mmCIF file with all atom_site columns, all heavy atoms in Angstrom:
data_model
loop_
_atom_site.group_PDB
_atom_site.id
_atom_site.type_symbol
_atom_site.label_atom_id
_atom_site.label_alt_id
_atom_site.label_comp_id
_atom_site.label_asym_id
_atom_site.label_entity_id
_atom_site.label_seq_id
_atom_site.pdbx_PDB_ins_code
_atom_site.Cartn_x
_atom_site.Cartn_y
_atom_site.Cartn_z
_atom_site.occupancy
_atom_site.B_iso_or_equiv
_atom_site.pdbx_formal_charge
_atom_site.auth_seq_id
_atom_site.auth_comp_id
_atom_site.auth_asym_id
_atom_site.auth_atom_id
_atom_site.pdbx_PDB_model_num
ATOM 1  N N   . PHE A 1 245 ? -29.665 15.261 -31.965 1.00 97.00 ? 245 PHE A N   1
ATOM 2  C CA  . PHE A 1 245 ? -29.176 16.533 -32.637 1.00 97.00 ? 245 PHE A CA  1
ATOM 3  C C   . PHE A 1 245 ? -28.025 17.120 -31.963 1.00 97.00 ? 245 PHE A C   1
ATOM 4  O O   . PHE A 1 245 ? -27.916 16.971 -30.710 1.00 97.00 ? 245 PHE A O   1
ATOM 5  C CB  . PHE A 1 245 ? -30.271 17.563 -32.591 1.00 97.00 ? 245 PHE A CB  1
ATOM 6  C CG  . PHE A 1 245 ? -31.590 17.272 -33.301 1.00 97.00 ? 245 PHE A CG  1
ATOM 7  C CD1 . PHE A 1 245 ? -32.699 17.092 -32.492 1.00 97.00 ? 245 PHE A CD1 1
ATOM 8  C CD2 . PHE A 1 245 ? -31.688 17.140 -34.654 1.00 97.00 ? 245 PHE A CD2 1
ATOM 9  C CE1 . PHE A 1 245 ? -33.875 16.798 -33.089 1.00 97.00 ? 245 PHE A CE1 1
ATOM 10 C CE2 . PHE A 1 245 ? -32.875 16.874 -35.249 1.00 97.00 ? 245 PHE A CE2 1
ATOM 11 C CZ  . PHE A 1 245 ? -33.916 16.610 -34.454 1.00 97.00 ? 245 PHE A CZ  1
ATOM 12 N N   . CYS A 1 246 ? -27.190 17.578 -32.722 1.00 98.00 ? 246 CYS A N   1
ATOM 13 C CA  . CYS A 1 246 ? -25.976 18.243 -32.192 1.00 98.00 ? 246 CYS A CA  1
ATOM 14 C C   . CYS A 1 246 ? -25.764 19.564 -32.934 1.00 98.00 ? 246 CYS A C   1
ATOM 15 O O   . CYS A 1 246 ? -25.690 19.603 -34.187 1.00 98.00 ? 246 CYS A O   1
ATOM 16 C CB  . CYS A 1 246 ? -24.719 17.286 -32.262 1.00 98.00 ? 246 CYS A CB  1
ATOM 17 S SG  . CYS A 1 246 ? -23.312 18.088 -31.550 1.00 98.00 ? 246 CYS A SG  1
ATOM 18 N N   . LEU A 1 247 ? -25.624 20.659 -32.151 1.00 98.00 ? 247 LEU A N   1
ATOM 19 C CA  . LEU A 1 247 ? -25.387 21.983 -32.759 1.00 98.00 ? 247 LEU A CA  1
ATOM 20 C C   . LEU A 1 247 ? -23.854 22.199 -32.454 1.00 98.00 ? 247 LEU A C   1
ATOM 21 O O   . LEU A 1 247 ? -23.453 22.137 -31.230 1.00 98.00 ? 247 LEU A O   1
ATOM 22 C CB  . LEU A 1 247 ? -26.196 23.106 -32.126 1.00 98.00 ? 247 LEU A CB  1
ATOM 23 C CG  . LEU A 1 247 ? -27.714 22.872 -32.177 1.00 98.00 ? 247 LEU A CG  1
ATOM 24 C CD1 . LEU A 1 247 ? -28.346 24.074 -31.562 1.00 98.00 ? 247 LEU A CD1 1
ATOM 25 C CD2 . LEU A 1 247 ? -28.112 22.466 -33.537 1.00 98.00 ? 247 LEU A CD2 1
ATOM 26 N N   . ALA A 1 248 ? -23.002 22.433 -33.392 1.00 97.00 ? 248 ALA A N   1
ATOM 27 C CA  . ALA A 1 248 ? -21.549 22.615 -33.184 1.00 97.00 ? 248 ALA A CA  1
ATOM 28 C C   . ALA A 1 248 ? -20.906 23.399 -34.328 1.00 97.00 ? 248 ALA A C   1
ATOM 29 O O   . ALA A 1 248 ? -21.459 23.592 -35.315 1.00 97.00 ? 248 ALA A O   1
ATOM 30 C CB  . ALA A 1 248 ? -20.920 21.254 -32.978 1.00 97.00 ? 248 ALA A CB  1
ATOM 31 N N   . THR A 1 249 ? -19.504 23.584 -34.088 1.00 95.00 ? 249 THR A N   1
ATOM 32 C CA  . THR A 1 249 ? -18.803 24.105 -35.162 1.00 95.00 ? 249 THR A CA  1
ATOM 33 C C   . THR A 1 249 ? -18.390 22.883 -36.071 1.00 95.00 ? 249 THR A C   1
ATOM 34 O O   . THR A 1 249 ? -18.110 21.876 -35.613 1.00 95.00 ? 249 THR A O   1
ATOM 35 C CB  . THR A 1 249 ? -17.543 24.697 -34.603 1.00 95.00 ? 249 THR A CB  1
ATOM 36 O OG1 . THR A 1 249 ? -17.816 25.768 -33.675 1.00 95.00 ? 249 THR A OG1 1
ATOM 37 C CG2 . THR A 1 249 ? -16.580 25.223 -35.688 1.00 95.00 ? 249 THR A CG2 1
ATOM 38 N N   . ALA A 1 250 ? -18.445 23.085 -37.461 1.00 91.00 ? 250 ALA A N   1
ATOM 39 C CA  . ALA A 1 250 ? -18.175 22.030 -38.325 1.00 91.00 ? 250 ALA A CA  1
ATOM 40 C C   . ALA A 1 250 ? -16.920 21.338 -38.052 1.00 91.00 ? 250 ALA A C   1
ATOM 41 O O   . ALA A 1 250 ? -16.754 20.084 -37.989 1.00 91.00 ? 250 ALA A O   1
ATOM 42 C CB  . ALA A 1 250 ? -18.196 22.524 -39.802 1.00 91.00 ? 250 ALA A CB  1
ATOM 43 N N   . GLU A 1 251 ? -15.879 22.071 -37.828 1.00 85.00 ? 251 GLU A N   1
ATOM 44 C CA  . GLU A 1 251 ? -14.592 21.468 -37.398 1.00 85.00 ? 251 GLU A CA  1
ATOM 45 C C   . GLU A 1 251 ? -14.169 22.029 -36.079 1.00 85.00 ? 251 GLU A C   1
ATOM 46 O O   . GLU A 1 251 ? -13.470 23.111 -35.994 1.00 85.00 ? 251 GLU A O   1
ATOM 47 C CB  . GLU A 1 251 ? -13.519 21.705 -38.511 1.00 85.00 ? 251 GLU A CB  1
ATOM 48 C CG  . GLU A 1 251 ? -13.846 21.047 -39.819 1.00 85.00 ? 251 GLU A CG  1
ATOM 49 C CD  . GLU A 1 251 ? -12.831 21.293 -40.859 1.00 85.00 ? 251 GLU A CD  1
ATOM 50 O OE1 . GLU A 1 251 ? -11.582 21.214 -40.507 1.00 85.00 ? 251 GLU A OE1 1
ATOM 51 O OE2 . GLU A 1 251 ? -13.202 21.458 -41.954 1.00 85.00 ? 251 GLU A OE2 1
ATOM 52 N N   . PRO A 1 252 ? -14.567 21.429 -34.947 1.00 86.00 ? 252 PRO A N   1
ATOM 53 C CA  . PRO A 1 252 ? -14.184 21.870 -33.678 1.00 86.00 ? 252 PRO A CA  1
ATOM 54 C C   . PRO A 1 252 ? -12.725 22.147 -33.507 1.00 86.00 ? 252 PRO A C   1
ATOM 55 O O   . PRO A 1 252 ? -11.933 21.391 -33.972 1.00 86.00 ? 252 PRO A O   1
ATOM 56 C CB  . PRO A 1 252 ? -14.655 20.773 -32.698 1.00 86.00 ? 252 PRO A CB  1
ATOM 57 C CG  . PRO A 1 252 ? -15.620 19.952 -33.472 1.00 86.00 ? 252 PRO A CG  1
ATOM 58 C CD  . PRO A 1 252 ? -15.197 20.084 -34.954 1.00 86.00 ? 252 PRO A CD  1
ATOM 59 N N   . GLY A 1 253 ? -12.350 23.277 -32.889 1.00 79.00 ? 253 GLY A N   1
ATOM 60 C CA  . GLY A 1 253 ? -11.003 23.618 -32.679 1.00 79.00 ? 253 GLY A CA  1
ATOM 61 C C   . GLY A 1 253 ? -10.515 24.641 -33.684 1.00 79.00 ? 253 GLY A C   1
ATOM 62 O O   . GLY A 1 253 ? -9.473  25.249 -33.464 1.00 79.00 ? 253 GLY A O   1
ATOM 63 N N   . THR A 1 254 ? -11.237 24.764 -34.798 1.00 77.00 ? 254 THR A N   1
ATOM 64 C CA  . THR A 1 254 ? -10.880 25.865 -35.752 1.00 77.00 ? 254 THR A CA  1
ATOM 65 C C   . THR A 1 254 ? -11.661 27.083 -35.291 1.00 77.00 ? 254 THR A C   1
ATOM 66 O O   . THR A 1 254 ? -12.720 26.955 -34.623 1.00 77.00 ? 254 THR A O   1
ATOM 67 C CB  . THR A 1 254 ? -11.415 25.424 -37.158 1.00 77.00 ? 254 THR A CB  1
ATOM 68 O OG1 . THR A 1 254 ? -12.772 25.291 -37.138 1.00 77.00 ? 254 THR A OG1 1
ATOM 69 C CG2 . THR A 1 254 ? -10.697 24.302 -37.672 1.00 77.00 ? 254 THR A CG2 1
#
Side-chain angles (χ1 to χ4, degrees):
F245 297 111
C246 182
L247 311 182
T249 304
E251 290 181 41
T254 59

